[in-house]
Amino acid sequence: MKITNINIVVLFGLFFLGAFNAHAQRIEIDRLEREFRGSYSGRKAYELSQKMIQLDSTYYVGHFFEANYRYERASDKRGYEAAIKSLEKAVALLEKDFPRKLRRTTEIQAYIDSYQYQRKYAFLIYFLAKCYEYVDKPSQAIKVVRRLQNRDFVFNFGISPYSHISWIYLRNRMYSPEKYDFLKPNIEENLEIASRFADSIKTSDKHNQWFLNTYWPDFANDALLSYYHYKNIIYSHQIKLDSAEYFSEQLRRYDRLSHNNYGNLQFIQAKFTEAEDSYETARQNDDYIQKDIKEFDYMQSAIKIFQNDLPSAKSIVENSIKNLGNAPGFGWNNIALSRAYYYSGDLKKSKEFRDKAANFKEIHVGSTWGEVAYDRNTLLFKYLYHKKSISDITFRDKSYWYKPKKLYDISKHHFKQENAHLLLTSELSADPERFIGYYNLFASENNIFFDEIWELIKYFNSDYFIKIFKDKLQEDERERVHKYFNYFIAQFHLEDGDYDLAIKEFERVLEDDYLDETNEKLLIARIHEGLSKAYEEKENMVAANDNLMAFYMNFPQLLPYSDLKMKFNFKVANKTLTPEQEKIVEDLKDCNIEWVENDLNWPTLSINFTKNDKNQVIDYQVEVANDIKFEGNLDLANIEEHPGQLIAFRAFGIELE
């Protein structure tokens, strides 16, 4: 077909009209953006993004709004994957249509014209890299960050490519090149690269310093402070305390100290009062708007367990869940609750929260805690649940050994316990970080604590570990942690039947100048438990009983699940009992407790059957040396079976439903 001059004019006109229309649509989109007031995470932002995309899907602004919305709202892998699609689209369109605006310029008027594009680009790159991290694609995250690095902007709006890459190497240090191709073969090399990138932060803005000082003085020290921050994290991980404290102090001078990280630095030195103060400050400074792992809640809950302040250990985490919901951190919070209920003696609740954690796909946001540690925690509390469930059965009925149903339940728990322990030990033996993490007992990346670490390694070669902990006593500068090394040495001697050596090491812990009777009740209780076992084996029953009583006074919730048997006096206030009440008393006395008479060396459990609104109630009280240790009541209206057993647990401060 022959193209005439008229056709050319028509075609040109149509092209011009289309271009004019597209230009008008972009002007309208820019107007909508300028007039937008509100949060990118709000529904209005999403609706506006869809309107913009409908007007012109080839313009970056609508995708920019949608990307921000999806990123802010994401709370799981699926959400971050959806955000990635929008972010990639927005970045690609911005790069395509505004290449000149995304070039480095030191001419102020040209920079003013480019400012909004460079700002948006920097934030899009940051969000995109974070999304790739959260969906376990750190290699992609590094590639994305390098796109910003290659632009070499005068100002990166607080987003440092070097700090981001340093963080990625630190977070993935334990993996191999087979998993992520950018990594080196071992942890030490990966940490060295992380440290080198952190060093580069300090010098990265030197060629921009005049512009920063002149036009953005509030951000002039950003590179230096970011350098301090990441070096602090790396040195804390390596337990290089003087260096970590130095960088913490530099951050404090500029009011940029992370109180969460500083709390962790104190925690790994067993300075629990200082750690708790820092965690409290971190909590007060956090509005819980950012959905990520709140390490300070998890860690302070552990300190409360060490103190035997179990209600606080639970409430801290419950409030965290209330504030965060099912956002990232939900799984870690459920692990912390599982731990708190485990030490409270409530196995049913501990299992409930452990199962929630195991069934939740955690996204490890804002923390170097990763999937390996998460899975190990859930497996650990599975193992501990089955182990303690055996003790639960034997405590409830000391005649369990001739009841087939209970023997079957014990064998079932034993089988599952052994399977879980086999998996744990095989994982631990293959973990390249076991030396800096678990064997140091307190380490910045270690969120399994000393009492649980003992359960992990107690069946390993005792000579091997005794040597490890003796060497640490000579080499480790953390004086407050030394008593924990002594404790582990004592426990291995006890396992080997070397009772004199065990007693010597246990006593050394009790004599330690740094032993904190407020913050270390769990350790003190375990020491007295070990001493009671050792003295009993040596047939020194006076010392064995003294330590058994000290074990009870420090952490009674542990005793029903121990190999030791507690002694109680027992009193019933009622002069006559109904057959139902006699059965309750019989069930109580069948529990694995040694009942004594009129022996004031032991606690006295008193009960009284009363009525409340026609419901039968058991009032109980535990008295030790004229002081009330526990008291309360048990309403039988909602108790289906074995209230006597529940009263027995109440004598140890364990309130089961």
Side-chain angles (χ1 to χ4, degrees):
M1 184 175 79
K2 186 176 180 181
I3 300 177
T4 66
N5 289 337
I6 295 175
N7 290 336
I8 292 173
V9 171
V10 170
L11 289 172
F12 180 78
L14 290 172
F15 173 79
F16 178 78
L17 189 61
F20 179 80
N21 186 49
H23 182 67
Q25 289 169 336
R26 292 191 174 192
I27 290 175
E28 173 63 10
I29 291 171
D30 289 339
R31 184 190 67 79
L32 291 171
E33 180 183 17
R34 286 194 305 272
E35 294 178 358
F36 174 72
R37 300 291 182 270
S39 169
Y40 283 123
S41 62
R43 186 68 187 176
K44 287 184 179 179
Y46 177 72
E47 291 171 353
L48 186 60
S49 75
Q50 299 310 294
K51 182 177 180 179
M52 291 173 170
I53 292 171
Q54 189 175 19
L55 284 170
D56 186 352
S57 63
T58 67
Y59 194 35
Y60 81 92
V61 178
H63 300 284
F64 174 80
F65 267 69
E66 183 181 58
N68 276 273
Y69 171 81
R70 292 194 183 282
Y71 178 83
E72 295 290 346
R73 300 282 293 221
S75 62
D76 56 19
K77 188 173 183 179
R78 184 178 176 182
Y80 285 111
E81 286 174 341
I84 285 171
K85 293 179 182 179
S86 298
L87 286 161
E88 286 281 18
K89 185 75 172 176
V91 169
L93 290 174
L94 198 51
E95 290 176 336
K96 174 179 174 290
D97 287 346
F98 300 96
R100 293 190 177 186
K101 302 292 187 184
L102 300 179
R103 291 177 183 172
R104 174 183 175 83
T105 178
T106 57
E107 199 280 307
I108 191 59
Q109 188 56 51
Y111 184 79
I112 290 172
D113 292 340
S114 302
Y115 173 85
Q116 66 164 321
Y117 300 99
Q118 293 190 11
R119 180 179 64 83
K120 290 177 180 177
Y121 185 81
F123 281 108
L124 286 170
I125 289 291
Y126 175 78
F127 294 152
L128 182 55
K130 282 296 180 186
C131 284
Y132 275 124
E133 278 191 68
Y134 300 155
V135 299
D136 298 321
K137 293 182 178 179
S139 300
Q140 289 294 105
I142 287 181
K143 291 177 183 176
V144 167
V145 171
R146 289 203 181 277
R147 288 160 76 174
L148 178 61
Q149 183 182 13
N150 292 335
R151 297 281 173 182
D152 193 23
F153 292 156
V154 172
F155 182 42
N156 279 326
F157 306 91
I159 298 161
S160 167
Y162 292 101
S163 62
H164 207 134
I165 296 173
S166 176
W167 170 263
I168 291 172
Y169 271 96
L170 175 63
R171 193 170 188 240
N172 297 283
R173 66 201 172 277
M174 73 291 295
Y175 297 120
S176 68
E178 285 73 29
K179 185 173 178 67
Y180 300 128
D181 57 5
F182 64 91
L183 291 172
K184 298 298 180 182
N186 57 62
I187 291 171
E188 291 74 19
E189 289 182 87
N190 289 323
L191 283 176
E192 176 60 27
I193 293 176
S195 187
R196 289 211 308 266
F197 273 106
D199 290 337
S200 297
I201 302 168
K202 187 177 181 181
T203 57
S204 61
D205 274 341
K206 279 195 172 180
H207 65 307
N208 298 324
Q209 202 63 49
W210 183 87
F211 301 98
L212 295 173
N213 292 338
T214 304
Y215 298 112
W216 303 281
D218 290 344
F219 299 94
N221 291 314
D222 265 13
L224 181 65
L225 295 175
S226 185
Y227 161 73
Y228 290 155
H229 176 76
Y230 284 96
K231 293 295 280 191
N232 179 31
I233 293 174
I234 292 167
Y235 281 128
S236 295
H237 174 77
Q238 295 173 321
I239 315 183
K240 296 181 178 179
L241 302 177
D242 289 343
S243 297
E245 287 285 359
Y246 168 80
F247 284 107
S248 295
E249 188 55 37
Q250 302 313 305
L251 289 164
R252 194 192 305 276
R253 285 175 53 212
Y254 289 93
D255 196 26
R256 290 283 290 273
L257 178 66
S258 165
H259 292 282
N260 178 80
N261 291 348
Y262 193 68
N264 290 343
L265 178 59
Q266 303 311 303
F267 184 88
I268 67 173
Q269 299 176 71
K271 296 180 178 179
F272 300 122
T273 298
E274 294 88 340
E276 193 165 14
D277 288 344
S278 290
Y279 293 141
E280 284 284 359
T281 303
R283 182 178 299 106
Q284 291 166 11
N285 293 342
D286 197 302
D287 54 16
Y288 288 83
I289 291 175
Q290 186 171 345
K291 305 303 182 184
D292 55 18
I293 300 167
K294 307 302 180 186
E295 290 181 9
F296 48 81
D297 287 331
Y298 184 98
M299 298 299 292
Q300 191 177 10
S301 176
I303 293 175
K304 293 300 185 185
I305 291 171
F306 294 174
Q307 298 169 354
N308 194 10
D309 184 358
L310 299 170
S312 294
K314 297 169 192 171
S315 64
I316 286 169
V317 184
E318 287 166 347
N319 287 333
S320 192
I321 290 175
K322 182 179 178 181
N323 287 319
L324 288 173
N326 290 346
F330 178 76
W332 283 107
N333 277 332
N334 276 282
I335 289 173
L337 266 184
S338 179
R339 174 181 284 109
Y341 277 101
Y342 171 81
Y343 283 98
S344 299
D346 192 335
L347 300 187
K348 182 180 177 182
K349 282 282 190 181
S350 179
K351 180 181 184 299
E352 175 187 332
F353 290 109
R354 189 261 301 168
D355 287 346
K356 282 186 179 181
N359 294 326
F360 180 73
K361 183 61 178 176
E362 181 65 274
I363 302 292
H364 306 282
V365 175
S367 173
T368 52
W369 298 356
E371 185 177 0
V372 172
Y374 184 83
D375 292 343
R376 187 166 296 157
N377 267 276
T378 56
L379 183 58
L380 170 69
F381 282 99
K382 179 179 181 180
Y383 162 69
L384 293 176
Y385 165 76
H386 290 296
K387 183 180 180 186
K388 257 193 177 181
S389 291
I390 296 172
S391 300
D392 182 83
I393 293 169
T394 58
F395 176 78
R396 288 173 181 267
D397 186 355
K398 58 189 173 186
S399 301
Y400 71 91
W401 50 271
Y402 63 83
K403 297 179 180 178
K405 174 65 168 63
K406 292 185 178 178
L407 291 174
Y408 170 76
D409 289 341
I410 288 173
S411 65
K412 182 175 65 175
H413 284 299
H414 180 74
F415 176 75
K416 292 181 178 180
Q417 169 199 323
E418 289 298 307
N419 279 348
H421 193 260
L422 181 63
L423 286 172
L424 280 168
T425 53
S426 62
E427 281 187 11
L428 183 63
S429 62
D431 187 346
E433 283 211 299
R434 63 189 183 279
F435 292 97
I436 196 168
Y438 301 118
Y439 301 170
N440 274 321
L441 304 185
F442 294 89
S444 63
E445 303 303 321
N446 185 9
N447 41 48
I448 291 176
F449 305 113
F450 80 93
D451 198 51
E452 298 141 28
I453 293 172
W454 169 246
E455 293 293 341
L456 279 174
I457 69 173
K458 65 188 293 186
Y459 300 118
F460 285 178
N461 185 293
S462 57
D463 291 337
Y464 173 77
F465 277 106
I466 287 171
K467 182 180 186 310
I468 282 179
F469 293 124
K470 282 186 175 179
D471 288 345
K472 288 189 179 298
L473 284 169
Q474 299 300 317
E475 300 164 1
D476 197 306
E477 63 183 276
R478 299 173 298 166
E479 292 181 312
R480 294 173 186 270
V481 179
H482 283 193
K483 56 184 173 288
Y484 290 91
F485 297 143
N486 287 122
Y487 166 68
F488 271 68
I489 292 168
Q491 284 283 34
F492 277 113
H493 283 315
L494 184 62
E495 287 290 314
D496 284 349
D498 296 329
Y499 302 117
D500 289 327
L501 291 174
I503 289 169
K504 181 180 177 181
E505 292 294 338
F506 281 135
E507 294 286 0
R508 183 171 284 149
V509 179
L510 292 178
E511 295 165 3
D512 192 290
D513 291 339
Y514 292 107
L515 188 64
D516 186 335
E517 294 183 358
T518 299
N519 289 312
E520 296 181 310
K521 284 187 177 180
L522 177 57
L523 175 64
I524 293 168
R526 290 302 192 194
I527 294 293
H528 287 298
E529 178 186 28
L531 283 169
S532 185
K533 290 178 181 179
Y535 279 120
E536 188 173 321
E537 291 290 341
K538 290 178 64 64
E539 299 183 355
N540 183 344
M541 295 313 298
V542 173
N545 287 338
D546 286 345
N547 282 284
L548 177 61
M549 191 63 195
F551 179 27
Y552 175 81
M553 293 302 293
N554 279 282
F555 219 120
Q557 296 89 346
L558 301 175
L559 235 160
Y561 306 102
S562 169
D563 297 332
L564 299 172
K565 183 186 289 190
M566 187 60 187
K567 301 178 184 181
F568 280 92
N569 298 282
F570 181 59
K571 293 180 180 179
V572 181
N574 309 81
K575 292 183 178 180
T576 60
L577 299 176
T578 66
E580 181 186 18
Q581 292 168 345
E582 287 179 349
K583 179 64 172 64
I584 291 172
V585 172
E586 183 182 335
D587 276 354
L588 171 56
K589 287 192 169 183
D590 280 343
C591 291
N592 193 32
I593 294 171
E594 184 175 336
W595 303 102
V596 296
E597 291 186 14
N598 302 319
D599 189 339
L600 298 181
N601 294 311
W602 301 102
T604 298
L605 170 62
S606 303
I607 66 171
N608 183 28
F609 292 96
T610 61
K611 282 192 175 182
N612 181 15
D613 295 332
K614 298 183 180 180
N615 292 331
Q616 189 171 193
V617 174
I618 305 175
D619 296 320
Y620 67 89
Q621 184 181 88
V622 176
E623 188 176 349
V624 180
N626 297 319
D627 289 328
I628 296 173
K629 180 74 171 173
F630 301 112
E631 64 178 347
N633 58 72
L634 184 67
D635 191 333
L636 300 184
N638 299 317
I639 305 298
E640 295 181 1
E641 56 182 10
H642 302 303
Q645 295 176 3
L646 299 185
I647 291 294
F649 279 105
R650 296 285 179 100
F652 297 90
I654 300 171
E655 297 190 14
L656 303 178
E657 297 177 358

